[in-house]
Amino acid sequence: MMRARRSGFWLSIAALSIGAACGSKKPVFVPVQPGHSLTVLLQDSNTGTTGAATVSNPLGSVDLDEEREAALATANRAPVAGKLSEAEVQRVFGDALSALPPAPQRFTLFFRFESDALTDQSQALIPEILRAVRTHAVQDVVVIGHTDTMGTQQANYALGLKRALMIRNLLIDAGLDASTIDATSVGELEPLVKTADETPEPRNRRVDISVR
């Protein structure tokens, strides 16, 4: 009965239900009944956003756009909106949530102008990144190179890749398994700070690292 999902994170389970009088969103539980399904919108640990979702059946629909908003759906009536407390989310979905992998840890390293040399502050972050990677039993590291808008897109893609590969090699030299580290570039296409073309911007000269 989930018609659409627009970003965020949601959980759905059958044979559980919530009550909500007159469409209000109050955390009121009613007895479990077969044939009911409960969908709850939660924050996405990867992006830190809640997003939105729509739960629908032939008799109606409910929009969810706040954390812990929920919809009870059955085959013979329109979905009913509600909202769960944090304790209720844990009671209903605790086992499923505990089985999820931990949220990625993210780091951003900045570079000197037209260079693959790190700034001093970013160089000092390398030990912290290595410690974060080594806390994961299964290591998965994604390194993405970025540039500002100085120069052509083609040249900036190459520079972004050069930066990403430099960081990848640095992590490998520090003892990480090369097979666990992916490096790529988006060049100037995903700036941290949007600027006009041919604009130097130190915050866009960076590598984003995701440790999962």
Side-chain angles (χ1 to χ4, degrees):
M1 296 183 184
M2 172 65 68
R3 187 187 72 198
R5 177 195 172 197
R6 305 186 297 276
S7 73
F9 173 60
W10 55 269
L11 287 172
S12 183
I13 191 167
L16 290 162
S17 60
I18 59 171
C22 302
S24 64
K25 298 178 179 178
K26 299 179 180 179
V28 181
F29 261 81
V30 297
V32 173
Q33 298 181 26
H36 290 192
S37 66
L38 174 65
T39 299
V40 182
L41 187 67
L42 300 178
Q43 186 181 88
D44 190 323
S45 60
N46 289 332
T47 64
T49 61
T50 301
T54 299
V55 179
S56 68
N57 65 13
L59 300 177
S61 66
V62 167
D63 292 327
L64 308 178
D65 55 19
E66 295 181 8
E67 187 174 10
R68 292 184 283 105
E69 283 190 344
L72 170 66
T74 66
N76 57 5
R77 69 174 183 177
V80 179
K83 188 166 185 176
L84 301 186
S85 67
E86 291 185 9
E88 288 167 333
V89 170
Q90 287 300 318
R91 182 168 73 84
V92 177
F93 297 105
D95 289 343
L97 291 170
S98 63
L100 293 173
Q105 293 173 269
R106 302 183 188 279
F107 302 88
T108 299
L109 303 178
F110 295 98
F111 290 80
R112 302 182 189 280
F113 180 59
E114 292 186 346
S115 170
D116 62 351
L118 290 170
T119 64
D120 292 342
Q121 286 182 325
S122 292
Q123 184 69 44
L125 280 176
I126 298 300
E128 182 179 347
I129 295 170
L130 293 171
R131 285 193 296 269
V133 175
R134 288 166 177 156
T135 62
H136 291 251
V138 178
Q139 297 175 355
D140 182 13
V141 182
V142 178
V143 182
I144 303 175
H146 302 262
T147 73
D148 60 22
T149 59
M150 296 293 292
T152 66
Q153 285 195 12
Q154 183 177 5
N156 283 334
Y157 174 84
L159 177 57
L161 185 59
K162 183 179 181 181
R163 287 169 173 167
L165 290 174
M166 188 277 286
I167 296 300
R168 181 178 185 272
N169 290 335
L170 187 155
L171 297 176
I172 293 169
D173 290 344
L176 300 187
D177 185 343
S179 67
T180 67
I181 309 172
D182 291 327
T184 188
S185 170
V186 294
E188 64 180 63
L189 299 181
E190 295 181 10
L192 191 63
V193 179
K194 291 187 177 182
T195 69
D197 196 23
E198 297 297 328
T199 302
E201 173 49 64
R203 289 168 291 180
N204 290 336
R205 301 194 292 265
R206 72 194 196 279
V207 156
D208 290 330
I209 300 174
S210 175
V211 179
R212 299 180 292 187

